[in-house]
Amino acid sequence: GAVVSQHPSWVICKSGTSVKIECRSLDFQATTMFWYRQFPKQSLMLMATSNEGSKATYEQGVEKDKFLINHASLTLSTLTVTSAHPEDSSFYICSAREGREGVYEQYFGPGTRLTVT
Amino acid sequence: GQNIDQPTEMTATEGAIVQINCTYQTSGFNGLFWYQQHAGEAPTFLSYNVLDGLEEKGRFSSFLSRSKGYSYLLLKELQMKDSASYLCAVLDSNYQLIWGAGTKLIIKP
């Protein structure tokens, strides 16, 4: 149980283009999903928290117009990196949390490695 | 401010026991998580402690002392596949996960 998928697993795009990453909870309903990025040999950095049906809450320093997050259903959230630049190259990981009271574990997707050339 | 400290790197021998410590100072506490992350992969859930004491799960055990702001992850009968980073994370008063920088564990034959 508690499986989260992420697609694509890796993507290479040209500078200036946009890339969409999908995160799906396969066997549970995720009322809250989280988007992280991780640079090599560094810890996870939370970018934003999204609750189904409402606007995402972005962490300080994360540009909401650049990293568009949509959490349209209880099983799907998307992150779109708009006008990507080489400095956006990173490992992007989503996680999902069930809406059950007292359940706080986050289950992670396998991650998406983005390379912007 | 919120702070979670854990050693950057540890080395242990296959078959041995290793303890990875984590100390925290956060605004509120609603539990502490340990995750394992292999290089290039996403983290996987290991344990969740919200009450003081030791929770054992196979070769892995996790301990929590809320009064001391301290936890440890104990790995027994180490295997080469246990080489990974181990992340400590605290659920704060807003139910947000505050992450430590992770401890890279190197297992030697």
Side-chain angles (χ1 to χ4, degrees), chain A residues 34 36 38 41-44 46 49 59 91 93 97 102 104-111 113, chain B residues 30 33 35 37 39-45 48 87 91 94-97 99-102 104:
Chain A
F34 305 85
Y36 295 86
Q38 187 176 36
K41 299 183 180 180
Q42 293 187 26
S43 190
L44 298 169
L46 180 65
T49 302
E59 295 300 301
F91 190 46
I93 313 173
R97 190 170 74 193
Y104 302 113
E105 291 96 301
Q106 290 183 27
Y107 297 96
F108 286 83
R113 191 160 302 281
Chain B
N30 282 300
F33 291 84
Y35 281 84
Q37 185 178 25
E41 298 180 14
T44 54
F45 169 78
Y48 172 60
L87 307 174
L91 201 63
N94 294 320
Y95 293 94
Q96 283 274 57
L97 268 183
W99 293 88
K104 182 178 180 181

Side-chain angles (χ1 to χ4, degrees), chain A residues 1-116:
Chain A
V3 178
V4 177
S5 71
Q6 207 171 320
H7 178 80
S9 54
W10 61 269
V11 58
I12 301 173
C13 71
K14 292 187 176 179
S15 189
T17 60
S18 295
V19 172
K20 180 187 281 189
I21 303 170
E22 289 187 353
C23 178
R24 293 180 186 273
S25 57
L26 298 186
D27 53 2
F28 66 98
Q29 293 188 326
T31 53
T32 306
M33 287 186 167
F34 305 85
W35 287 96
Y36 295 86
R37 65 187 297 182
Q38 187 176 36
F39 293 105
K41 299 183 180 180
Q42 293 187 26
S43 190
L44 298 169
M45 187 193 85
L46 180 65
M47 298 174 66
T49 302
S50 73
N51 291 296
E52 185 264 336
S54 60
K55 289 184 179 179
T57 302
Y58 290 81
E59 295 300 301
Q60 196 170 10
V62 178
E63 298 174 58
K64 61 181 181 181
D65 294 331
K66 180 170 183 60
F67 299 100
L68 301 177
I69 292 172
N70 185 291
H71 190 166
S73 78
L74 286 171
T75 59
L76 173 65
S77 177
T78 60
L79 168 68
T80 301
V81 183
T82 62
S83 187
H85 289 283
E87 56 264 32
D88 298 325
S89 298
S90 186
F91 190 46
Y92 291 86
I93 313 173
C94 73
S95 70
R97 190 170 74 193
E98 292 184 72
R100 290 189 289 139
E101 189 173 337
V103 177
Y104 302 113
E105 291 96 301
Q106 290 183 27
Y107 297 96
F108 286 83
T112 297
R113 191 160 302 281
L114 170 64
T115 303
V116 185

Side-chain angles (χ1 to χ4, degrees), chain B:
Chain B
Q2 312 214 82
N3 195 49
I4 296 184
D5 285 319
Q6 48 181 135
T8 304
E9 187 174 296
M10 298 182 71
T11 303
T13 305
E14 190 177 16
I17 298 173
V18 71
Q19 177 174 311
I20 303 174
N21 296 324
C22 171
T23 58
Y24 62 89
Q25 293 172 311
T26 56
S27 56
F29 179 85
N30 282 300
L32 184 145
F33 291 84
W34 283 97
Y35 281 84
Q36 179 192 61
Q37 185 178 25
H38 285 99
E41 298 180 14
T44 54
F45 169 78
L46 289 179
S47 66
Y48 172 60
N49 293 64
V50 65
L51 299 176
D52 289 350
L54 185 68
E55 299 255 353
E56 297 187 69
K57 197 184 288 186
R59 294 189 299 114
F60 292 8
S61 302
S62 56
F63 172 83
L64 174 67
S65 169
R66 289 172 296 171
S67 62
K68 295 181 179 178
Y70 167 69
S71 173
Y72 67 72
L73 180 69
L74 190 72
L75 291 76
K76 302 177 185 176
E77 302 169 18
L78 285 170
Q79 301 174 9
M80 297 303 292
K81 67 178 182 178
D82 297 330
S83 292
S85 286
Y86 291 86
L87 307 174
C88 173
V90 171
L91 201 63
D92 72 6
S93 56
N94 294 320
Y95 293 94
Q96 283 274 57
L97 268 183
I98 310 300
W99 293 88
T103 298
K104 182 178 180 181
L105 178 62
I106 300 168
I107 310 296
K108 295 187 175 179

